[in-house]
Each structure stands twice: as C-alpha cells, then as structure tokens.
Amino acid sequence: METDLFKSWIARGRLKATRQREEILNVFFNSHGHQNLAQIYAQVMKVDPKIGYTTVYRTLKLLTRHGLALQRKFADGETRYEPVSDKSHHDHLICLGCGKIIEFEDKDMEALQEGIAERHRFKISHHRMELYGQCADCRSKKKNSARKG
Amino acid sequence: METDLFKSWIARGRLKATRQREEILNVFFNSHGHQNLAQIYAQVMKVDPKIGYTTVYRTLKLLTRHGLALQRKFADGETRYEPVSDKSHHDHLICLGCGKIIEFEDKDMEALQEGIAERHRFKISHHRMELYGQCADCRSKKKNSARKG
DNA sequence: TTTGAAATTGAAATCCAATTTCATTTTAAG
DNA sequence: CTTAAAATGAAATTGGATTTCAATTTCAAA
Ligand SMILES: [Mn+2]
Ligand SMILES: [Mn+2]
Ligand SMILES: [Zn+2]
Ligand SMILES: [Zn+2]
C-alpha cells in the first residue's frame, strides 16, 4: 500500500485522512493509468462498494491539483487520469486499432520544441504531443487479413 | 465570396445547395479560424439572423467530414474549428496569458516523430502537438508589471 | 475523553455543450 | 409541375462534469 504517499499527500494538502481517500489513492496508484473516471470508480467499487462516484471524482481532482495525478484528454474526447510517479515527463503513441497507449520520452523532441518556441519569442510552460496510428500488433493483424482476404 | 469552393463542396458531397450552407461557408472561410461554434454562429447571425444554431452545427460537421474544416480541441476543452486551406499541416503555440494562437510548421519535428514511431514499430496516421506558455507580448507585460510592483 | 467547528461524504440535482428528434420547408430530378 | 428526398430549426434529449445540501466524520482544543 501507498501509506507514505497517502500520509504526505494529506499532510501537504492540509486535508483530512479518510478511509475513502486512502482507498481511492491505493486503487489509483495500483492501476495501469490512462483510465477514465468510470473505470477508476469501478475498481474502487470492488474494494468498497459504499464509496460514492462523487467522492472518486473529487479525490481525483484533488490529486490532480496536488500534482499526484495528471488529467489527459486524447483525441477520443475521454477524460483519463494517470498517476504521477517519479518517472519524468512523457508523451504518447496511441493506437487507433486497439486503443493501446504507449509512452515515450525523447530529449531531442523537447529540445526542438524549445527551439521553435524561441523563434517565436515564446516561453513554454508545458506541451501536449500525441502520435496516432497503428501499433505493431494491429499492423501485422491487418497484413494477415489482407493476405487471407 | 468562396463561390467555387461552395459549388465544388456541394458537388463532391452530393449535397443540396442551400442559402444557409453558402452563408455559413462564407462566414467560416473569412473568419480568423480557431473559433468555437458559438462564435461562428454569432458571426452567421450578423449576416442572416434566421439561420439556426443547429444548421451551423451540422454544416461545420459536414465541412469537417469533407475535409474543409478541422476540429481542434486544445487544453481549455473548447471545441474550435479552423478552415482547411491549401496551406499544409501545422501545429500550435498557445498563449496562456492572452489566448493568442500561433501556428507553426517544422519539418524536423515531423521527421523526429517518424523516428520515434519507427522505434516502436508504429505507423503514424496523424498527430497532435501543442506548446502552451507565454507569448512575447505577455512576457514583456509581465516584466513591466514586475518592474513597477 | 468530550465537544464542536470545519471538512468530507454521497445521493440527487444542476449545468451545459453536443446531439437528436420531428414537423415543416426547400431542393432538384424527372 | 410533381414529388421524394434532403435540409432546416426549434425544441427535446443526452451524458459527462460539477454543484448542492443534509448527514456524517475528522481532529484540534478543552
Ligand atoms: Mn502516460
Ligand atoms: Mn491552426
Ligand atoms: Zn493496436
Ligand atoms: Zn499572450
């Protein structure tokens, strides 16, 4: 369990320690990430069916405000959350075939972005970068069905 | 007026030529771009107050389907539309201070994206790339107020 | 330990942009 | 012209996000 994380979050946020918050945090930090609220809520329900959707909603919002969660909105329009761990910033490859989300980081990319911004005398605070297409699995599946068909 | 564009759109889409569609298209292609539906509707109203919001909505959706408009969703969550002209693909710098949207294109960036995708055996169909921060104007304003305060 | 103000919870209500419905009007093919 | 299909627009609906509010819980102070 993420006991330390929970305690430090509660302390730093001057929040009250509740069973609900601890359970939601545990579920969230043990999930795969990139889940929407309904999915997180469903997982929370398994642990404790009495916790309300509203509380999950508010807790994720709090976690986001305090930097422990990131809200992501990819092109499908769904609002997803991912836990923020010690691993650094990353961007995403998103498969339009199977929905798989692959994370990557690329220093050259970030440097290039800074260069572009400078040319426009623009100071970047953050960015969004997503690559949409077909993953390796979906590409080979498509190739096979084309061969058969 | 974009008479030719209108005619070819109607023809290619096997649509019916209506006053509403022509007026909406004209307003849209003479706008600055990156406008939401309410803003486009407001402009259409000035030309012809009888046109319904629903028709503007449906027309923009049609234009999007036919490749004459692009729907953009930046981080503020608003749905915006921009006319697709002959100019090629571009990405955006978005000022968090004043909302200004600057367009840019960068061949190196696109090449780098291809490289990243290849490394993951991923085939890109399109991407989204937005840089958020402060534009030149907002930066100098901030500097001035800091000097005074 | 008891107390009580403030914070939290959760069901229900509200919000609001996106989308659909449907009666009426318009288009364009024949 | 005639007429079926398409388009329009006001109104209704949808669905996720957010707020409300009465009841419950936390926790610091007594
Ligand atoms: Mn991620
Ligand atoms: Mn643009
Ligand atoms: Zn895939
Ligand atoms: Zn600015």
Side-chain angles (χ1 to χ4, degrees):
Chain A
M1 295 308 157
E2 325 286 338
T3 313
D4 292 346
L5 183 59
F6 175 67
K7 284 182 180 167
S8 71
W9 167 47
I10 294 299
R12 286 194 296 117
R14 293 155 197 252
L15 303 170
K16 296 197 169 171
T18 67
R19 175 180 47 79
Q20 289 93 329
R21 284 174 173 166
E22 181 155 20
E23 286 177 354
I24 293 166
L25 181 142
N26 279 334
V27 164
F28 181 56
F29 273 88
N30 287 105
S31 75
H32 287 155
H34 310 127
Q35 310 231 327
N36 65 30
L37 206 57
Q39 292 170 319
I40 296 167
Y41 176 59
Q43 290 201 255
V44 168
M45 288 289 269
K46 287 186 209 157
V47 178
D48 185 344
K50 294 218 191 64
I51 294 181
Y53 176 91
T54 311
T55 301
V56 179
Y57 163 75
R58 282 191 284 231
T59 301
L60 266 294
K61 212 174 179 195
L62 269 181
L63 289 171
T64 300
R65 180 179 312 153
H66 294 153
L68 299 183
L70 261 176
Q71 206 184 51
R72 302 271 193 192
K73 291 197 187 187
F74 300 134
D76 67 0
E78 289 209 15
T79 301
R80 297 153 190 272
Y81 295 88
E82 70 172 311
V84 172
S85 61
D86 46 5
K87 77 183 166 193
S88 62
H89 162 80
H90 63 266
D91 294 308
H92 299 89
L93 286 156
I94 297 162
C95 178
L96 299 171
C98 64
K100 190 187 301 164
I101 298 175
I102 302 166
E103 303 183 337
F104 71 89
E105 37 180 320
D106 191 291
K107 274 294 165 198
D108 294 339
M109 172 74 69
E110 313 275 326
L112 210 46
Q113 288 172 4
E114 282 301 335
I116 290 164
E118 259 175 46
R119 248 170 274 149
H120 293 270
R121 281 182 267 133
F122 196 96
K123 171 75 176 169
I124 298 177
S125 69
H126 63 278
H127 71 256
R128 189 154 78 160
M129 142 112 270
E130 294 139 23
L131 307 179
Y132 296 88
Q134 299 288 131
C135 75
D137 290 351
C138 288
R139 290 174 74 184
S140 55
K141 270 182 204 161
K142 194 185 283 179
K143 210 172 288 176
N144 282 341
S145 64
R147 198 176 297 159
K148 285 178 191 170
Chain B
M1 295 307 159
E2 326 286 339
T3 313
D4 292 346
L5 183 58
F6 175 67
K7 283 182 180 167
S8 71
W9 167 46
I10 294 299
R12 286 193 297 115
R14 294 153 195 253
L15 304 169
K16 298 199 167 168
T18 67
R19 176 178 47 80
Q20 290 93 330
R21 283 174 174 167
E22 181 155 20
E23 286 176 354
I24 293 166
L25 181 141
N26 279 335
V27 164
F28 180 57
F29 271 89
N30 288 106
S31 74
H32 288 153
H34 311 123
Q35 309 231 330
N36 64 30
L37 207 58
Q39 292 170 320
I40 296 167
Y41 176 59
Q43 289 201 257
V44 168
M45 287 287 268
K46 286 186 209 158
V47 178
D48 185 345
K50 296 217 190 65
I51 295 180
Y53 176 90
T54 311
T55 301
V56 178
Y57 163 74
R58 281 190 285 231
T59 301
L60 266 294
K61 213 173 177 193
L62 269 181
L63 289 171
T64 300
R65 181 180 311 153
H66 295 154
L68 300 183
L70 261 176
Q71 206 185 52
R72 302 273 192 190
K73 290 196 186 187
F74 300 134
D76 66 1
E78 289 209 13
T79 301
R80 298 153 190 270
Y81 294 88
E82 70 172 310
V84 172
S85 61
D86 45 5
K87 77 183 168 195
S88 61
H89 162 80
H90 62 266
D91 294 309
H92 300 88
L93 286 155
I94 296 161
C95 179
L96 299 171
C98 64
K100 189 187 301 163
I101 298 175
I102 302 166
E103 302 183 338
F104 71 90
E105 37 179 321
D106 191 290
K107 274 295 165 198
D108 295 339
M109 172 73 68
E110 313 277 325
L112 210 46
Q113 288 171 3
E114 281 302 335
I116 291 164
E118 260 174 46
R119 247 170 273 149
H120 293 270
R121 281 181 266 133
F122 196 95
K123 171 76 174 168
I124 297 178
S125 69
H126 62 278
H127 70 256
R128 190 152 77 158
M129 141 113 272
E130 294 139 23
L131 307 178
Y132 296 89
Q134 299 289 131
C135 75
D137 289 352
C138 288
R139 290 175 74 183
S140 55
K141 271 182 204 159
K142 194 186 283 179
K143 210 172 289 177
N144 282 341
S145 64
R147 198 176 295 157
K148 286 178 190 168

